[in-house]
Amino acid sequence: MLLRNETVVNGPLAYIGEETGFVPSMRERFLGWNVPPEYSELVHPHWRGFIAPGKYWHIGVALIYFILLVMSLVGNCCVVWIFSTSKSLRTASNMFIISLAIFDIVMAIEMPMLLINSFMERMIGWEIGCDVYAILGSISGMGQAITNAAIAFDRYRTISCPIDGRLNSKQAVVIILFTWFWVMPFSVLPLVRVWGRYSTEGFLTTCTFDYLTDDQDTKVFVVCIFIWSYCIPMIFIVYFYSQLLKSIRNHEKMLREQAKKMNVKSLVSNQDKERSVELRIAKVAFTIFFLFLMAWTPYATVAMIGAFGNRELLTPVSTMLPAVFAKSVSCIDPWIYAINHPRYRQELQKRCKWMGIREPEIVHDTASAQTEKIKSDDA
């Protein structure tokens, strides 16, 4: 268990190097013990009040991140490869899936840094390493949020307005460019120290934006990034999915009333079958959004507590767990599509025989229904 030093820490503790009196038998060292004075700004005084975690904590985190890294790279690289090269999957809406996978890969790129940091028990590269690690996490996290909002918008347009509401490729490209523009302000501003900064957290082997400095600029920055990267995408997602559900209920009500007037059991047509395919795809998108919500809400909560709440709740372990949850999203997304997308599974079966997938042939091309009107591929 990581204990907190009850002594008030007003400044950085002395750096004890191996060449200057390091005592191997000393078991209790406080966080930041191995950070030289010239890099002391990387460690907020809040963290220096906790006993440094044992090596087994670092090794355990490294093992978890290694598993997540492998799952993320394999899953997301397969998504980008197959969705971009398969003719039946190369559609306008699936461009959002590719973009989401790329954001997930950006998240995975920072994981090897954490593996090295865990074995060194410090941030590799000090300030530069911290900035690189944090900006990768910032771009991928905010990118996942706004891309989920774009997918919700696409699902709403596709299902609610199946005839003239579908996005074309040019419109999809514009929206995707907008998502990449969206992540830049609050990723670059802390990097160049214009507003906010990046700092270590938890075990001091990960970095994120500074939410602990007790000044007005930092508090305003935390509120703004919380609204920009979490609240606004969430509002868009909730709105578009609620409108989608409203459209579905109205459509089903209309079919029931029409069937009753015609004295028939059902009015399900080919267009309605297409609509049901779209609904299944919408459920997949909603599942991914739900996972995103579960993964990033704890992290957002930690940031708000650090800026405005009781900081005694923020222990090294309590801040590392939300980071692990957030990273888990990047490896889960592609496997959700693999589980729920018949055409994608068929492509995996053809191209990645080593995965051992056995997918039966399907009559209808349900994948193309994900983004464009279903053409008669059955013919």
Side-chain angles (χ1 to χ4, degrees):
M1 181 176 181
L2 300 182
L3 302 178
R4 178 169 175 77
N5 179 16
E6 298 299 334
T7 304
V8 177
V9 182
N10 295 318
L13 299 181
Y15 172 71
I16 304 178
E18 294 189 9
E19 300 84 3
T20 57
F22 174 77
V23 181
S25 61
M26 183 176 62
R27 294 184 177 181
E28 291 190 355
R29 298 173 299 193
F30 295 103
L31 279 171
W33 67 271
N34 55 351
V35 178
E38 59 267 30
Y39 300 114
S40 61
E41 289 187 356
L42 280 175
V43 184
H44 189 275
H46 172 80
W47 302 119
R48 293 186 181 274
F50 292 93
I51 299 295
K55 187 174 287 291
Y56 61 90
W57 280 98
H58 291 287
I59 294 176
V61 171
L63 290 175
I64 293 173
Y65 270 67
F66 178 75
I67 295 172
L68 295 177
L69 172 63
V70 173
M71 291 181 64
S72 180
L73 288 179
V74 172
N76 286 297
C77 287
C78 283
V79 166
V80 173
W81 172 40
I82 292 178
F83 274 84
S84 60
T85 58
S86 173
K87 186 176 180 180
S88 62
L89 293 172
R90 198 165 58 243
T91 56
S93 294
N94 281 345
M95 294 170 67
F96 297 115
I97 308 305
I98 296 173
S99 182
L100 179 62
I102 293 174
F103 279 121
D104 289 341
I105 291 173
V106 172
M107 177 73 76
I109 291 175
E110 71 175 9
M111 293 186 191
M113 291 184 63
L114 183 124
L115 298 180
I116 298 174
N117 295 342
S118 295
F119 286 101
M120 297 181 67
E121 299 186 37
R122 65 172 178 83
M123 179 59 62
I124 185 175
W126 302 115
E127 290 180 350
I128 295 177
C130 182
D131 287 343
V132 171
Y133 186 97
I135 196 171
L136 290 173
S138 177
I139 290 173
S140 59
M142 285 187 281
Q144 290 169 0
I146 197 64
T147 302
N148 271 285
I151 292 174
F153 173 68
D154 173 68
R155 292 295 85 209
Y156 164 69
R157 289 282 299 267
T158 300
I159 298 175
S160 299
C161 310
I163 297 177
D164 57 355
R166 297 174 185 269
L167 300 174
N168 58 41
S169 297
K170 291 182 180 180
Q171 292 172 323
V173 168
V174 170
I175 295 176
I176 289 172
L177 291 176
F178 174 77
T179 63
W180 284 89
F181 170 79
W182 181 270
V183 307
M184 290 305 162
F186 284 95
S187 296
V188 175
L189 288 175
L191 181 67
V192 297
R193 304 294 198 275
V194 171
W195 191 20
R197 71 186 186 101
Y198 292 129
S199 179
T200 55
E201 65 171 349
F203 293 173
L204 306 187
T205 53
T206 61
C207 279
T208 185
F209 62 91
D210 177 21
Y211 51 79
L212 290 174
T213 299
D214 196 12
D215 59 42
Q216 195 66 24
D217 281 344
T218 299
K219 292 180 183 297
V220 174
F221 177 84
V222 171
V223 171
C224 290
I225 195 173
F226 175 74
I227 294 173
W228 182 267
S229 63
Y230 186 79
C231 295
I232 293 178
M234 197 70 62
I235 291 171
F236 283 140
I237 292 169
V238 171
Y239 173 77
F240 289 127
Y241 277 128
S242 63
Q243 291 300 307
L244 174 61
L245 293 175
K246 181 179 178 181
S247 173
I248 293 170
R249 286 197 298 268
N250 291 337
H251 180 74
E252 291 178 346
K253 181 180 178 181
M254 181 269 293
L255 287 179
R256 287 195 301 269
E257 292 176 352
Q258 190 65 26
K260 187 176 181 180
K261 291 179 181 179
M262 299 176 63
N263 198 26
V264 295
K265 185 176 182 180
S266 175
L267 289 177
V268 177
S269 62
N270 290 334
Q271 185 177 2
D272 294 316
K273 292 179 180 178
E274 175 182 338
R275 189 185 182 92
S276 100
V277 171
E278 299 288 357
L279 289 177
R280 290 200 299 270
I281 302 302
K283 289 178 181 178
V284 175
F286 184 80
T287 300
I288 289 179
F289 157 67
F290 180 76
L291 292 173
F292 169 84
L293 182 65
M294 293 296 100
W296 285 99
T297 299
Y299 206 89
T301 303
V302 165
M304 296 304 290
I305 291 175
F308 303 100
N310 180 11
R311 295 183 179 180
E312 292 183 1
L313 299 174
L314 302 184
T315 66
V317 173
S318 70
T319 53
M320 284 299 294
L321 288 178
V324 173
F325 292 156
K327 299 297 183 293
S328 66
V329 173
S330 67
C331 72
I332 293 176
D333 286 352
W335 301 105
I336 296 295
Y337 285 102
I339 292 171
N340 293 278
H341 204 306
R343 178 62 68 183
Y344 179 59
R345 292 199 301 268
Q346 281 196 334
E347 291 294 332
L348 282 177
Q349 179 181 337
K350 293 176 184 177
R351 305 187 191 193
C352 304
K353 298 183 183 299
W354 54 273
M355 287 188 175
I357 297 175
R358 295 293 181 268
E359 179 67 17
E361 289 292 332
I362 53 178
V363 178
H364 296 283
D365 187 353
T366 58
S368 62
Q370 195 179 81
T371 55
E372 306 295 335
K373 285 187 179 180
I374 295 182
K375 307 293 182 180
S376 56
D377 288 82
D378 325 73

